[in-house]
Amino acid sequence: MTASPSASRDMASSRIFETLKQDLIRGRFVAGEKLAISALKDHYQVGLSPLREALNRLAAYGLLEQVNQRGFRVPAMHLEELDDIAGLRAQLECMALTQAFQAGDSEWESQVLAAHHRLRRADEHPERVEEWEQAHLRFHRALLASCGSHWLLRFIEQLHDQFDRYRRLAPPNPAVRKALDRQHGELVELALSRDIAAARALLDDHIRLSHSVARGCCASSAPDEGT
Amino acid sequence: MTASPSASRDMASSRIFETLKQDLIRGRFVAGEKLAISALKDHYQVGLSPLREALNRLAAYGLLEQVNQRGFRVPAMHLEELDDIAGLRAQLECMALTQAFQAGDSEWESQVLAAHHRLRRADEHPERVEEWEQAHLRFHRALLASCGSHWLLRFIEQLHDQFDRYRRLAPPNPAVRKALDRQHGELVELALSRDIAAARALLDDHIRLSHSVARGCCASSAPDEGT
DNA sequence: CATCTCAACAAAATCGATTTTTTTACTCAA
DNA sequence: TTGAGTAAAAAAATCGATTTTGTTGAGATG
């Protein structure tokens, strides 16, 4: 049978997991806020068990914190942590990029080109933010997909989600977007020519640029507090 | 009040999480096996809800796999994955080691020395395997603790747990143990003298040695199967 | 006036039972 | 004998209610 990814309806706990995950990344909850479980239950129209299972998975993933006998809270955001996430993300993605360039075959090249094309298409509708976000995530995934290390990709994905929590705090900025998009195009070219050194430098810049934008926003909106 | 870490009794779901996690790492379940939830419930004497929450967290952590509508299973083990885990672990730990050496203060040195002392003490009772295992884990933790990157330490911990699943398959080997222990001592000396290059090389060897032992066992016990 | 106690309240965690889905066992026809 | 279809059994997922724990505030006490 042909691949039909959307064939299986998954259980309620998986659906609420994905929904909550997106809402957390998109910043629909206040950082540091305590989650009122019964309110979530009403809002998302799910039962307690699936909801609690999703919350537990999100806590293990690092998008929630579970406090001993007093429920779940949205992790606070700190400039210091953003720096950690961005720095590590740059290192791990450069590592994966190198391996991806070495191991990538023509099928990989095709997928990168396809993902880049979809990303450019998504750019044509600036009002559909979420579509661009998804295309963007998939482009970066495709670029590193051939690196051969399941665990490295897993950690990178996790860091990407964490990073996005911070990045999404910043308001959309057309100039930055344009610069990032040019870098995407250049990354594709460097991938096809397997120019590892140049691609690493560019990817590092790419992340550094996003980082500095998010940093500016994070610093102004919620100055790092002690205690 | 003074620090008393064991003061808070945590909820049942946390206790069963820790217990199950240890049992998974120690290889008390067959790789690939499907977990019978009601059997677990009886065996560990817990209710369904805490158990399911623990299973969900373990799945998010990577020590279990959740299959759509058919429960949880213990991940299969593959030589290929062991290589991935060990290789990545070496890279991430060397990265952390460098940062730890650069940022480590005298308090860090004290903790490393203390952890190493406990490790040597634990060596005196070869029959108490679990005590040595815990001291070993804590020594490696202490060595990297000052690296300053919360997320890097988190990933390393996760990889360590994954690696241990494989390492524990191999029967105890006094000769190997002795070699590893000498390396622990050398690592302490290099930490005190902040010899980054030598320490990186040694840590890489350290992991490589464990890797090759685990590899030999994994290869003979369960030849990598396709499909 | 500050602090302590304890009851009433709110929320989290857990339990037992129900619903849904998958797996197994069996029948019958090709 | 094999294979599709189907009903019973088993297991997973979910629900509603109960139990446990943390929080709040009124009144007592120093």
Side-chain angles (χ1 to χ4, degrees):
Chain A
M1 60 199 83
T2 55
S4 87
S6 63
S8 62
R9 327 164 259 319
D10 16 47
M11 43 195 181
S13 100
S14 298
R15 266 184 292 108
I16 184 64
F17 173 85
E18 288 300 333
T19 309
L20 259 173
K21 179 179 166 184
Q22 292 309 319
D23 285 351
L24 283 163
I25 292 173
R26 290 174 196 172
R28 301 227 176 134
F29 298 95
V30 185
E33 177 187 20
K34 179 175 150 188
L35 293 183
I37 297 195
S38 62
L40 291 180
K41 189 175 88 78
D42 296 342
H43 180 48
Y44 291 105
Q45 292 288 312
V46 289
L48 253 167
S49 310
L51 177 58
R52 284 191 61 89
E53 291 187 11
L55 292 174
N56 273 279
R57 282 199 254 171
L58 286 165
Y61 190 67
L63 280 171
L64 282 180
E65 284 168 359
Q66 188 164 23
V67 199
N68 207 331
Q69 215 87 6
R70 57 202 77 165
F72 298 85
R73 61 174 55 252
V74 182
M77 293 168 94
H78 302 286
L79 211 46
E80 196 183 39
E81 196 196 24
L82 171 59
D83 295 342
D84 182 20
I85 291 168
L88 190 55
R89 197 190 146 200
Q91 292 200 77
L92 297 197
E93 291 207 18
C94 283
M95 197 182 286
L97 191 75
T98 302
Q99 297 169 216
F101 276 28
Q102 284 163 351
D105 56 7
S106 71
E107 174 56 25
W108 167 68
E109 294 176 359
S110 304
Q111 294 295 335
V112 170
L113 280 168
H116 184 241
H117 181 69
R118 282 192 288 269
L119 180 58
R120 291 180 69 87
R121 283 292 186 181
D123 240 343
E124 294 167 7
H125 302 278
E127 73 282 5
R128 301 189 192 168
V129 181
E130 290 312 325
E131 284 181 25
W132 183 86
E133 289 290 347
Q134 191 182 19
H136 182 231
L137 172 61
R138 290 189 175 169
F139 171 73
H140 279 277
R141 258 192 216 148
L143 192 64
L144 307 179
S146 67
C147 88
S149 169
H150 163 77
W151 283 96
L152 183 53
L153 290 178
R154 181 177 176 133
F155 293 148
I156 286 172
E157 186 92 10
Q158 203 169 344
L159 279 176
H160 198 113
D161 286 338
Q162 291 292 333
F163 185 78
D164 272 10
R165 265 189 94 213
Y166 287 88
R167 183 177 59 79
R168 294 238 191 167
L169 286 181
N173 181 331
V176 171
R177 165 75 69 92
K178 205 176 162 191
L180 291 172
D181 270 331
R182 184 167 48 242
Q183 293 181 325
H184 292 141
E186 293 172 26
L187 278 169
V188 173
E189 287 179 34
L190 294 174
L192 295 179
S193 62
R194 298 291 197 285
D195 188 337
I196 292 181
R200 282 183 71 120
L202 182 55
L203 184 56
D204 197 70
D205 271 355
H206 189 68
I207 294 171
R208 196 180 304 277
L209 175 54
S210 274
H211 178 198
S212 67
V213 174
R215 201 169 200 285
C217 178
C218 181
S220 63
S221 75
D224 222 13
E225 60 215 302
T227 305
Chain B
M1 59 200 82
T2 55
S4 88
S6 62
S8 63
R9 331 166 254 319
D10 13 48
M11 45 194 179
S13 103
S14 298
R15 265 184 293 111
I16 184 63
F17 173 84
E18 289 300 333
T19 309
L20 260 173
K21 180 179 166 185
Q22 292 309 319
D23 285 351
L24 283 163
I25 293 172
R26 291 175 195 174
R28 302 230 175 130
F29 299 94
V30 185
E33 176 188 21
K34 180 176 149 187
L35 293 183
I37 297 195
S38 61
L40 291 181
K41 188 174 88 78
D42 297 341
H43 180 48
Y44 292 104
Q45 291 290 311
V46 288
L48 223 75
S49 308
L51 177 58
R52 283 190 62 87
E53 292 187 11
L55 293 173
N56 272 280
R57 284 199 254 172
L58 286 165
Y61 189 68
L63 279 171
L64 283 179
E65 285 168 358
Q66 188 165 24
V67 199
N68 208 328
Q69 215 85 6
R70 59 202 75 165
F72 298 85
R73 61 175 55 252
V74 182
M77 294 169 94
H78 302 287
L79 211 45
E80 197 184 36
E81 197 196 25
L82 171 60
D83 295 341
D84 182 18
I85 291 167
L88 191 54
R89 197 191 144 200
Q91 292 200 75
L92 297 197
E93 292 208 15
C94 283
M95 198 183 285
L97 190 74
T98 303
Q99 297 168 214
F101 276 28
Q102 285 163 351
D105 56 7
S106 72
E107 174 56 26
W108 167 68
E109 294 177 359
S110 305
Q111 294 295 335
V112 170
L113 279 169
H116 184 242
H117 181 70
R118 282 192 288 269
L119 181 58
R120 291 181 70 88
R121 283 291 186 182
D123 240 344
E124 293 167 8
H125 301 278
E127 73 282 7
R128 302 189 190 167
V129 181
E130 289 312 324
E131 285 181 26
W132 183 86
E133 289 288 349
Q134 192 183 17
H136 183 230
L137 173 61
R138 289 189 176 171
F139 171 74
H140 279 277
R141 258 192 216 148
L143 193 65
L144 307 179
S146 66
C147 89
S149 169
H150 164 78
W151 283 96
L152 183 53
L153 289 178
R154 182 178 177 134
F155 293 148
I156 286 172
E157 186 93 11
Q158 203 170 346
L159 279 176
H160 199 113
D161 287 337
Q162 290 293 332
F163 185 77
D164 272 9
R165 267 190 91 214
Y166 286 89
R167 182 176 60 78
R168 295 240 192 166
L169 286 181
N173 181 330
V176 171
R177 164 75 68 93
K178 204 176 163 192
L180 291 172
D181 271 331
R182 184 167 48 244
Q183 292 181 326
H184 292 142
E186 293 172 27
L187 278 170
V188 173
E189 288 179 35
L190 294 173
L192 294 178
S193 63
R194 299 290 199 284
D195 188 337
I196 293 181
R200 282 183 71 120
L202 182 56
L203 184 57
D204 198 71
D205 271 355
H206 189 68
I207 294 170
R208 197 180 304 277
L209 176 55
S210 274
H211 178 197
S212 68
V213 173
R215 201 169 201 284
C217 177
C218 180
S220 63
S221 73
D224 222 11
E225 59 215 304
T227 302

